[in-house]
Amino acid sequence: MKTEIKEKITATNQKYLKKFLTEEAPAKLESQLEHMDWSYLDMIHNKEQQRGTFSPLAAMEISEIEANKDKYLATGLDAVKNGKVGAILLAGGQGTRLGFDKAKGMFNIGKTKELYIFEQLVANLMKVTNQTGTWVPLYVMTSEINDSMTREFFEEHDYFGYNKDYVKFFVQEMVPAVDFDGNLLMKSEDSLAMSPNGNGGWFKSLINAGLDKDLKDKGVEWLNVFAVDNVLQQIADPVFVGATIESGCVSGSKVVRKCDPYERVGAMCLENGKPSIVEYYELTPEMAEAKNENGSLQYGFGVILNYLFRVDKLMAIAEKSLPLHVVEKKVPYIDENGTEHKPETPNAYKFETLILDMVYMMDNSLPFEVDREKEFAPVKNATGTDSVETARALLEKNGIEI
Ligand code: UTP
């Protein structure tokens, strides 16, 4: 092992790696240690993110959207028909809360028949392709953990009826996990416990995979980025695209009206005058309950991880770094004696960048209200809130046979 790595192990007092100061390290582990960013380890002592000054940002509410629907729809359909809209499916997460060991999109949400999450998302996208007679390029972000299973699943299911020439996969980067004392965790004798680096790195990973060229070749000007877990996700929604273009914004964010002032969702707002998302725990009670003249809450619209970005603006910020978030997660590992541990509660920090921080890098973002009963059915947990049960109920409510 290189001397500088040995020095880093010693300097950071790595409990699980100490033995490799005298023993030979497996090649894979050595390469991981050489390529990793050791400065992450300092982040665990510096977890608080510095935030700016928040102020409200009015959403385009459903009534306003309805009043202008024809205009927005025409503009959006035109953009889709001219091949200007692409879609990014963020599917690199580990879905630890759901506790499903495959890619989350491979989860069968059906009750009386098979209905995979990926299948439902493709069906949602096909509404637009059928309406416009145009295939929307779909780029699927996976991680090293679920990449091959995801590609194989799409192949096996014949891309759920989508045109496979318009589906491309790319893999996001991985970062190491550390325990609460800053020790790098080992997944096996020859590998660190690595995990995907969050959903904020998607555009860099897309470029690393050379797909920016594909965007250029196809003339894609707008990218609709969405999470894998919302089975009612409306993708490349022409009204949303049209409203964002017509409002002159460089990005748009789908939002839903919060159920109550304290609902645990991030709310769309301004931060130092830039579009941003304030987390529910960052709101003071005064802010949470502050009302507009029409009686609606000033911080009353929560984001649902469905964003639209103008590609030239993404290119302009591609090299900028996003803030790193340190999050507590359950990470299985082997200890210094080779004993396996499968923690029941969070035992480690993971380092992630988040797509919501990308919104802050945009000059503006249109908060576009959608009906949560029709467009928001996240599958985060196995049971309870935002679970398989609640998503199934919402699918049925929308007349989707499951
Ligand atoms: P979540 O924040 O729900 O994370 O992801 P997760 O990893 O899927 O689930 P938990 O927290 O472990 O239960 C929101 C969206 O971002 C994607 C997910 O696939 C999902 O679509 N994501 C998340 C990535 O693509 N990469 C990541 O590294 C993290």
Side-chain angles (χ1 to χ4, degrees), residues 144-383:
E144 277 171 25
I145 300 167
N146 65 22
D147 183 63
S148 52
M149 65 173 103
T150 303
R151 288 176 199 245
E152 280 161 23
F153 199 69
F154 270 82
E155 274 291 327
E156 267 166 41
H157 292 88
D158 206 14
Y159 290 75
F160 306 103
Y162 211 69
N163 182 339
K164 72 180 269 189
D165 294 343
Y166 285 82
V167 183
K168 299 229 173 338
F169 299 88
F170 64 101
V171 187
Q172 69 176 104
E173 277 85 66
M174 305 283 278
V175 287
V178 299
D179 69 13
F180 295 154
D181 297 319
N183 294 302
L184 288 155
L185 291 172
M186 303 279 293
K187 182 178 143 226
S188 56
E189 290 293 348
D190 70 345
S191 176
L192 294 175
M194 305 286 281
S195 55
N197 64 345
N199 58 26
W202 67 274
F203 195 65
K204 266 194 186 151
S205 302
L206 182 131
I207 292 178
N208 290 345
L211 290 172
D212 48 334
K213 185 170 180 311
D214 197 66
L215 294 176
K216 247 197 202 141
D217 292 347
K218 292 195 166 87
V220 176
E221 291 179 10
W222 293 91
L223 283 174
N224 183 203
V225 191
F226 63 98
V228 70
D229 44 40
N230 174 9
V231 285
L232 284 180
Q233 192 83 258
Q234 301 305 304
I235 307 151
D237 169 356
V239 183
F240 178 39
V241 173
T244 307
I245 295 176
E246 290 289 346
S247 64
C249 286
V250 297
S251 74
S253 309
K254 281 202 170 182
V255 294
V256 294
R257 200 173 284 264
K258 287 190 346 193
C259 300
D260 69 74
Y262 298 97
E263 191 186 347
R264 294 158 74 103
V265 291
M268 197 77 196
C269 66
L270 290 174
E271 180 183 350
N272 297 339
K274 304 280 301 279
S276 184
I277 286 114
V278 54
E279 294 295 349
Y280 65 90
Y281 50 81
E282 293 173 317
L283 286 178
T284 60
E286 294 74 41
M287 284 165 81
E289 296 193 22
K291 293 208 169 96
N292 295 311
E293 269 171 23
N294 68 2
S296 66
L297 294 171
Q298 289 194 341
Y299 297 92
F301 290 94
V303 286
I304 60 169
L305 220 173
N306 186 319
Y307 301 106
L308 187 69
F309 294 104
R310 218 169 76 189
V311 175
D312 61 338
K313 292 291 167 186
L314 290 170
M315 291 290 185
I317 60 156
E319 291 308 317
K320 288 195 182 163
S321 318
L322 290 163
L324 203 58
H325 294 257
V326 183
V327 286
E328 295 184 7
K329 295 252 176 168
K330 290 183 265 182
V331 177
Y333 68 100
I334 59 162
D335 64 22
E336 60 273 49
N337 306 313
T339 310
E340 282 185 40
H341 296 265
K342 284 207 170 119
E344 299 283 322
T345 51
N347 63 313
Y349 294 124
K350 283 188 182 178
F351 305 97
E352 299 188 331
T353 58
L354 302 178
I355 187 168
L356 49 83
D357 289 317
M358 212 174 228
V359 175
Y360 184 67
M361 293 182 168
M362 296 284 130
D363 303 331
N364 46 50
S365 191
L366 174 74
F368 178 91
E369 188 194 358
V370 298
D371 182 346
R372 65 194 297 156
E373 296 268 293
K374 292 190 183 140
E375 296 204 21
F376 191 44
V379 183
K380 295 283 186 196
N381 306 300
T383 54

Side-chain angles (χ1 to χ4, degrees), residues 43-93:
M43 290 295 298
I44 67 169
H45 306 296
N46 184 18
K47 292 194 289 293
E48 294 309 311
Q49 211 194 337
Q50 293 292 341
R51 301 299 301 252
T53 307
F54 296 115
S55 56
L57 172 64
M60 181 184 272
E61 299 187 17
I62 289 175
S63 53
E64 189 184 343
I65 296 166
E66 283 301 318
N68 295 295
K69 194 166 174 183
D70 293 347
K71 182 170 74 171
Y72 296 156
L73 182 65
T75 303
L77 286 177
D78 203 48
V80 175
K81 276 188 197 152
N82 286 309
K84 290 185 180 165
V85 184
I88 307 279
L89 165 51
L90 299 176

Side-chain angles (χ1 to χ4, degrees), residues 98 109 377-393:
L98 181 61
I109 191 91
V379 183
K380 295 283 186 196
N381 306 300
T383 54
T385 328
D386 295 342
S387 67
V388 177
E389 295 152 16
T390 55
R392 280 185 178 147

